[in-house]
PDB file of all heavy atoms in Angstrom:
ATOM      1  N   MET A 662      -2.381  33.996 -22.662  1.00 95.00           N
ATOM      2  CA  MET A 662      -2.695  33.233 -21.451  1.00 95.00           C
ATOM      3  C   MET A 662      -3.116  34.126 -20.278  1.00 95.00           C
ATOM      4  O   MET A 662      -3.459  33.632 -19.204  1.00 95.00           O
ATOM      5  CB  MET A 662      -1.500  32.371 -21.051  1.00 95.00           C
ATOM      6  CG  MET A 662      -1.126  31.324 -22.093  1.00 95.00           C
ATOM      7  SD  MET A 662      -2.497  30.199 -22.491  1.00 95.00           S
ATOM      8  CE  MET A 662      -2.657  29.300 -20.957  1.00 95.00           C
ATOM      9  N   GLY A 663      -3.067  35.449 -20.453  1.00 93.00           N
ATOM     10  CA  GLY A 663      -3.617  36.356 -19.447  1.00 93.00           C
ATOM     11  C   GLY A 663      -2.723  36.678 -18.270  1.00 93.00           C
ATOM     12  O   GLY A 663      -3.183  37.283 -17.292  1.00 93.00           O
ATOM     13  N   HIS A 664      -1.427  36.287 -18.310  1.00 94.00           N
ATOM     14  CA  HIS A 664      -0.491  36.619 -17.235  1.00 94.00           C
ATOM     15  C   HIS A 664      -1.098  36.263 -15.866  1.00 94.00           C
ATOM     16  O   HIS A 664      -1.213  37.104 -14.960  1.00 94.00           O
ATOM     17  CB  HIS A 664      -0.122  38.099 -17.289  1.00 94.00           C
ATOM     18  CG  HIS A 664       1.096  38.440 -16.485  1.00 94.00           C
ATOM     19  ND1 HIS A 664       2.365  38.041 -16.838  1.00 94.00           N
ATOM     20  CD2 HIS A 664       1.238  39.153 -15.338  1.00 94.00           C
ATOM     21  CE1 HIS A 664       3.234  38.484 -15.943  1.00 94.00           C
ATOM     22  NE2 HIS A 664       2.573  39.162 -15.025  1.00 94.00           N
ATOM     23  N   LYS A 665      -1.445  34.996 -15.679  1.00 94.00           N
ATOM     24  CA  LYS A 665      -2.130  34.540 -14.464  1.00 94.00           C
ATOM     25  C   LYS A 665      -1.124  34.197 -13.378  1.00 94.00           C
ATOM     26  O   LYS A 665      -0.781  33.042 -13.151  1.00 94.00           O
ATOM     27  CB  LYS A 665      -3.015  33.342 -14.802  1.00 94.00           C
ATOM     28  CG  LYS A 665      -4.097  33.659 -15.832  1.00 94.00           C
ATOM     29  CD  LYS A 665      -4.841  32.416 -16.257  1.00 94.00           C
ATOM     30  CE  LYS A 665      -5.872  32.730 -17.336  1.00 94.00           C
ATOM     31  NZ  LYS A 665      -6.537  31.511 -17.865  1.00 94.00           N
ATOM     32  N   VAL A 666      -0.669  35.227 -12.664  1.00 95.00           N
ATOM     33  CA  VAL A 666       0.397  35.065 -11.693  1.00 95.00           C
ATOM     34  C   VAL A 666      -0.052  34.228 -10.495  1.00 95.00           C
ATOM     35  O   VAL A 666       0.693  33.375 -10.015  1.00 95.00           O
ATOM     36  CB  VAL A 666       0.899  36.443 -11.212  1.00 95.00           C
ATOM     37  CG1 VAL A 666       1.935  36.280 -10.104  1.00 95.00           C
ATOM     38  CG2 VAL A 666       1.492  37.218 -12.384  1.00 95.00           C
ATOM     39  N   THR A 667      -1.265  34.445 -10.009  1.00 94.00           N
ATOM     40  CA  THR A 667      -1.739  33.729  -8.823  1.00 94.00           C
ATOM     41  C   THR A 667      -1.766  32.226  -9.063  1.00 94.00           C
ATOM     42  O   THR A 667      -1.286  31.447  -8.225  1.00 94.00           O
ATOM     43  CB  THR A 667      -3.150  34.215  -8.431  1.00 94.00           C
ATOM     44  OG1 THR A 667      -3.108  35.617  -8.172  1.00 94.00           O
ATOM     45  CG2 THR A 667      -3.644  33.485  -7.191  1.00 94.00           C
ATOM     46  N   GLU A 668      -2.304  31.805 -10.195  1.00 96.00           N
ATOM     47  CA  GLU A 668      -2.352  30.383 -10.513  1.00 96.00           C
ATOM     48  C   GLU A 668      -0.947  29.840 -10.759  1.00 96.00           C
ATOM     49  O   GLU A 668      -0.625  28.709 -10.362  1.00 96.00           O
ATOM     50  CB  GLU A 668      -3.226  30.146 -11.743  1.00 96.00           C
ATOM     51  CG  GLU A 668      -3.521  28.673 -12.011  1.00 96.00           C
ATOM     52  CD  GLU A 668      -4.486  28.466 -13.161  1.00 96.00           C
ATOM     53  OE1 GLU A 668      -5.172  29.440 -13.554  1.00 96.00           O
ATOM     54  OE2 GLU A 668      -4.548  27.331 -13.673  1.00 96.00           O
ATOM     55  N   ALA A 669      -0.098  30.640 -11.387  1.00 96.00           N
ATOM     56  CA  ALA A 669       1.276  30.209 -11.659  1.00 96.00           C
ATOM     57  C   ALA A 669       2.040  29.978 -10.355  1.00 96.00           C
ATOM     58  O   ALA A 669       2.833  29.035 -10.244  1.00 96.00           O
ATOM     59  CB  ALA A 669       1.993  31.243 -12.512  1.00 96.00           C
ATOM     60  N   LYS A 670       1.827  30.840  -9.357  1.00 95.00           N
ATOM     61  CA  LYS A 670       2.503  30.686  -8.065  1.00 95.00           C
ATOM     62  C   LYS A 670       2.193  29.329  -7.452  1.00 95.00           C
ATOM     63  O   LYS A 670       3.085  28.661  -6.920  1.00 95.00           O
ATOM     64  CB  LYS A 670       2.064  31.805  -7.106  1.00 95.00           C
ATOM     65  CG  LYS A 670       2.716  33.138  -7.383  1.00 95.00           C
ATOM     66  CD  LYS A 670       1.985  34.286  -6.722  1.00 95.00           C
ATOM     67  CE  LYS A 670       1.822  34.132  -5.246  1.00 95.00           C
ATOM     68  NZ  LYS A 670       1.161  35.310  -4.629  1.00 95.00           N
ATOM     69  N   GLU A 671       0.960  28.887  -7.537  1.00 95.00           N
ATOM     70  CA  GLU A 671       0.572  27.589  -6.978  1.00 95.00           C
ATOM     71  C   GLU A 671       1.250  26.454  -7.736  1.00 95.00           C
ATOM     72  O   GLU A 671       1.683  25.460  -7.136  1.00 95.00           O
ATOM     73  CB  GLU A 671      -0.952  27.435  -7.019  1.00 95.00           C
ATOM     74  CG  GLU A 671      -1.471  26.152  -6.387  1.00 95.00           C
ATOM     75  CD  GLU A 671      -1.110  26.017  -4.923  1.00 95.00           C
ATOM     76  OE1 GLU A 671      -0.925  27.045  -4.250  1.00 95.00           O
ATOM     77  OE2 GLU A 671      -0.999  24.870  -4.450  1.00 95.00           O
TER      78      GLU A 671
END
Side-chain angles (χ1 to χ4, degrees):
M662 298 303 292
H664 196 70
K665 299 173 183 175
V666 175
T667 301
E668 190 175 343
K670 283 163 56 177
E671 183 60 27

